[in-house]
């Protein structure tokens, strides 16, 4: 729903605006999440476990979904052993070179083999990490698409997370109104569906330089702090703007 709200036809807002303008410059708008992220893994596989449910609050970097990774973990173990041997051979070759027993060519070959083994070990670790989906930001889980045992395709969406500790109040303004709005302006906003207190403060962070051809309106966004999570995406919001 939040993504649909973000792309509602401007004509709807034009109708809302024409009704609200009878109330001394009161303009209606919508509360939108600051970020919406649809997440998937860069690899295919089977879901091993889903660590969150819809409605859970997650922090950046928190594991959310794990895919089956038994083979990838074995690859890491094998790569560690290969690296261990390559390191031993490299150090032995360096010691022989210092004692004028070994050749420079042999020492160089062992050094390269050690570097390649380290790269292969690091690549194996990355493949294991790709089997775990982690939250890219703090937010709330609003959609969960898979259950344990289900197959996951490449880049398939598994979860959707929205960040609402900050939200945006979006309005569509007449040209004369938009001309009097500047980035950084503070404005009192009213949320009719909230219990008292219904007023909050927002800061103008974006004024779209493009006029919507269908409605003749300009889009404006105000950033609002929402640490207590009182505001929800989709709520109606009102603000007074100078009448044209």
């Amino acid at each position: 729903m939040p993504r649909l709200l973000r792309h509602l036809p401007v004509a709807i807002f034009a109708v809302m605006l024409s009704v609200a303008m009878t109330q001394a410059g009161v303009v209606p708008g919508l509360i939108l999440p600051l970020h919406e992220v649809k997440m998937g893994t860069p690899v295919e596989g089977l879901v091993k476990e889903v660590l969150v449910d819809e409605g859970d609050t997650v922090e950046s970097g928190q594991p959310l979904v794990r895919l089956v990774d038994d083979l990838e973990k074995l690859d890491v173990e094998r790569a560690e052993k290969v690296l261990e041997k390559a390191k031993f051979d490299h150090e032995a070759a360096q010691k022989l070179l210092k004692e004028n027993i070994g050749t420079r060519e042999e020492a160089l070959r062992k050094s390269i083999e050690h570097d390649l083994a380290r790269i292969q070990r690091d690549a194996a670790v990355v493949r294991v990490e790709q089997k775990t989906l982690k939250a890219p930001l703090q937010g709330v889980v609003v959609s969960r698409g898979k259950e344990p045992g289900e197959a996951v395709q490449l880049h398939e969406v598994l979860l959707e997370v929205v960040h609402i500790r900050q939200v945006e109040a979006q309005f569509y303004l007449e040209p004369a109104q938009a001309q009097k709005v500047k980035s950084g302006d503070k404005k009192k906003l009213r949320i009719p569906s909230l219990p008292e207190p219904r007023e909050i403060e927002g800061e103008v962070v974006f004024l779209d330089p493009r006029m919507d051809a269908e409605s003749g309106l300009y889009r404006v966004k105000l950033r609002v702090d929402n640490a207590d999570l009182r505001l929800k995406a989709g709520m109606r919001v009102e603000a007074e703007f100078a009448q044209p």
Side-chain angles (χ1 to χ4, degrees):
M1 179 60 72
R3 190 171 297 275
L4 294 176
L5 291 171
R6 193 178 293 273
H7 298 290
L8 279 175
V10 181
I12 295 178
F13 288 94
V15 174
M16 295 165 60
L17 181 63
S18 64
V19 174
M21 284 299 293
T22 63
Q23 305 178 23
V26 175
V27 178
L30 285 175
I31 295 295
L32 303 175
L34 182 62
H35 299 297
E36 302 173 74
V37 181
K38 290 185 176 181
M39 293 176 293
T41 61
V43 293
E44 298 178 345
L46 292 176
V47 176
K48 184 176 183 179
E49 55 183 338
V50 182
L51 305 173
V52 293
D53 291 315
E54 291 182 352
D56 286 353
T57 298
V58 298
E59 300 298 328
S60 178
Q62 177 179 337
L64 305 178
V65 179
R66 288 195 175 97
L67 304 184
V68 174
D69 58 0
D70 298 338
L71 288 177
E72 286 77 11
K73 287 180 177 178
L74 289 175
D75 283 342
V76 171
E77 290 185 23
R78 184 184 64 80
E80 290 282 4
K81 295 300 182 181
V82 173
L83 177 60
E84 184 179 347
K85 181 180 185 304
K87 181 180 179 181
F88 177 83
D89 292 344
H90 166 61
E91 291 174 349
Q94 291 295 320
K95 183 178 180 180
L96 292 175
L97 181 62
K98 290 180 180 179
E99 295 174 355
N100 295 321
I101 299 175
T103 64
R104 187 176 298 275
E105 290 77 8
E106 179 66 11
L108 177 60
R109 185 170 67 85
K110 294 300 182 181
S111 175
I112 292 174
E113 289 177 354
H114 173 258
D115 290 342
L116 290 176
R118 176 178 51 79
I119 293 171
Q120 291 173 353
R121 188 278 314 273
D122 292 346
V125 170
V126 170
R127 286 192 290 272
V128 170
E129 292 175 347
Q130 287 179 332
K131 292 287 186 171
T132 298
L133 177 62
K134 297 181 179 180
L137 76 171
Q138 186 280 332
V140 177
V141 178
V142 296
S143 176
R144 167 178 159 165
K146 291 290 183 179
E147 298 297 333
E150 292 187 307
V152 176
Q153 302 301 316
L154 186 65
H155 301 307
E156 183 177 359
V157 175
L158 299 179
L159 294 169
E160 185 172 0
V161 173
V162 297
H163 176 83
I164 57 172
R165 290 196 183 276
Q166 284 187 313
V167 294
E168 292 178 334
Q170 180 171 271
F171 299 89
Y172 285 88
L173 305 182
E174 297 280 358
Q177 291 175 309
Q179 289 176 3
K180 298 183 179 181
V181 176
K182 301 187 301 295
S183 181
D185 285 352
K186 301 291 179 61
K187 188 167 287 293
K188 293 293 183 181
L189 310 176
R190 184 176 182 274
I191 312 293
S193 60
L194 282 182
E196 296 291 349
R198 294 189 176 95
E199 282 198 348
I200 56 177
E201 184 177 75
E203 179 181 348
V204 176
V205 293
F206 177 69
L207 176 59
D208 199 329
R210 305 163 300 174
M211 174 189 284
D212 179 72
E214 182 180 357
S215 66
L217 303 178
Y218 286 92
R219 184 165 57 104
V220 175
K221 288 184 178 180
L222 290 85
R223 185 74 49 81
V224 181
D225 287 330
N226 188 36
D228 55 6
L229 304 180
R230 292 178 72 220
L231 305 178
K232 308 299 182 184
M235 279 184 169
R236 290 280 303 277
V237 58
E238 299 172 350
E240 289 191 11
F241 291 88
Q243 289 205 49

